[in-house]
Amino acid sequence: MNAMIEDLKITKQTALDQIAQCPDLKELEKIRVQYLGKKGRLTAVLRQMGKLESEERKVLGQQGNLVREAIETALAESLQRLKLHETEQKLNGEWLDVTLPGKKPKAGKKHPISLVLDDIIEIFMGMGFSVADGREIETVRYNFDALNAPSDHPSRDEQDTFYINDDVLLRTQTSTVQVRVMEKNRPPLRIISPGRVYRADDVDATHSPLFHQLEGLVVDKGIAFADLKGTLEIFARRLYGENTGVRFRPHYFPFTEPSAEMDIVCFSCDGNGCRVCKQEGYIELLGAGMVHPNVLKFCGIDPDEYTGFAFGMGLDRAALKRYNINDMRLLFENDSRFLTQFS
Ligand code: PHE
């Protein structure tokens, strides 16, 4: 009996010592099992009680319970202490300096072509135009036939046009949209349509096999060449400044008659002649003309009742002019050091 009391004392002392020195929660759990578990030390001591007289068993039982309580209390205290310690360590490890400067993500900028296009769209919207969508993969019918292109027109040649097969091609001009719009809608019509076009050109400072055009189309009763001139003059002045001078030169397009090209006075030399305008004093801005009666007929619009004008311009050249960029390739290389310079 005394030996067993002694055993209990030692068990309690070693348990409390171990708990006091315990470094972490995992270790503490091990200690708990080691002493209080089914196969633990305290259980082992108490199991021997069976051999004792009932009086002695009572005393030893009481002692045993006291030891268990003492160990349990020590475990609970230690658990709290270790938990607190762990939280503190976490907080210290994950310390964050909110006064540090933030990392700024690189913000994208609009491409110069988009910037010019935004302005052009705004100008035409202000004159009552809406924006129509087209498709880049077209058929010979929309790109040439419906646009009154003679069957031997050089632009039909494979050297100028990317053919997918005999009938399907990458559109060479946004004028295809004229036909698509007139087929589906009845006059009055007033649309612009920007988009990509393709021609089998080699890449150099002024050419690219992919470039951008903007098409315009107006069809209504009584539309005359004077409307074309007035509209496009206003457009040029809004885009390049109120004092911009313009001139119209006769030209030829299969799908317009009469046709013209519109130039603006060179912004670099004010018309005196310089390298930018190749001593011309003028810079070409767009092609235009009165919609050919054959095109109207093709789309089921009576040319005796309705007339219209159309125009088309290169957006890449417009962007180059606007930002004084001297090489078209820069527009397509998408070097962010270049692209972030414009706004
Ligand atoms: N499609 C012509 C071109 O690519 C431009 C144009 C459009 C001319 C509309 C007249 C009318 O050159």
Side-chain angles (χ1 to χ4, degrees), residues 179-221:
V179 183
R180 293 219 170 256
V181 167
M182 283 192 279
E183 260 184 355
K184 283 248 164 69
N185 306 278
R186 296 295 94 187
L189 298 170
R190 218 183 292 177
I191 60 104
I192 51 170
S193 184
R196 295 189 194 96
V197 298
Y198 302 83
R199 286 182 201 175
D201 280 327
D202 287 332
V203 174
D204 65 26
T206 52
H207 292 88
S208 162
L210 179 166
F211 58 105
H212 301 78
Q213 280 190 338
L214 179 124
E215 192 78 8
L217 174 72
V218 174
V219 183
D220 202 351
K221 284 180 180 156

Side-chain angles (χ1 to χ4, degrees), residues 275-287:
R275 269 173 49 201
V276 174
C277 59
K278 298 192 182 103
Q279 309 306 326
E280 279 280 324
Y282 284 88
I283 293 173
E284 180 196 321
L285 185 62
L286 52 80

Side-chain angles (χ1 to χ4, degrees), residues 147 172-176 178 197 199 211 213-217 228 251-261 284 286-291 309-314:
L147 288 168
T172 63
Q173 51 186 351
T174 44
S175 296
T176 51
Q178 289 184 31
V197 298
R199 286 182 201 175
F211 58 105
Q213 280 190 338
L214 179 124
E215 192 78 8
L217 174 72
L228 177 159
H251 201 74
Y252 168 79
F253 298 105
F255 38 88
T256 48
E257 180 60 34
S259 303
E261 279 190 331
E284 180 196 321
L286 52 80
M290 302 305 292
V291 180
F309 69 85
F311 55 93
M313 60 181 292

Side-chain angles (χ1 to χ4, degrees), residues 121-163:
I121 289 179
E122 206 178 304
I123 293 168
F124 281 110
M125 291 268 229
M127 294 194 275
F129 285 70
S130 54
V131 178
D133 219 5
R135 37 182 100 174
E136 288 171 40
I137 298 176
E138 269 294 4
T139 58
V140 170
R141 174 186 152 98
Y142 287 95
N143 200 79
F144 295 122
D145 297 344
L147 288 168
N148 202 37
S151 53
D152 59 352
H153 196 276
S155 64
R156 287 183 183 249
D157 201 307
E158 263 185 61
Q159 281 192 326
D160 296 305
T161 300
F162 291 112
Y163 283 89

Side-chain angles (χ1 to χ4, degrees), residues 262-328:
M262 185 175 91
D263 302 334
I264 53 168
V265 172
C266 178
F267 48 83
S268 189
C269 62
D270 209 17
N272 295 320
C274 68
R275 269 173 49 201
V276 174
C277 59
K278 298 192 182 103
Q279 309 306 326
E280 279 280 324
Y282 284 88
I283 293 173
E284 180 196 321
L285 185 62
L286 52 80
M290 302 305 292
V291 180
H292 197 290
N294 288 350
V295 178
L296 293 172
K297 264 188 244 159
F298 188 96
C299 301
I301 294 174
D302 182 358
D304 292 329
E305 196 179 353
Y306 291 103
T307 49
F309 69 85
F311 55 93
M313 60 181 292
L315 293 175
D316 312 82
R317 300 245 168 105
L320 296 185
K321 262 178 238 161
R322 157 110 166 242
Y323 295 108
N324 241 320
I325 304 164
N326 57 13
D327 194 323
M328 194 156 162

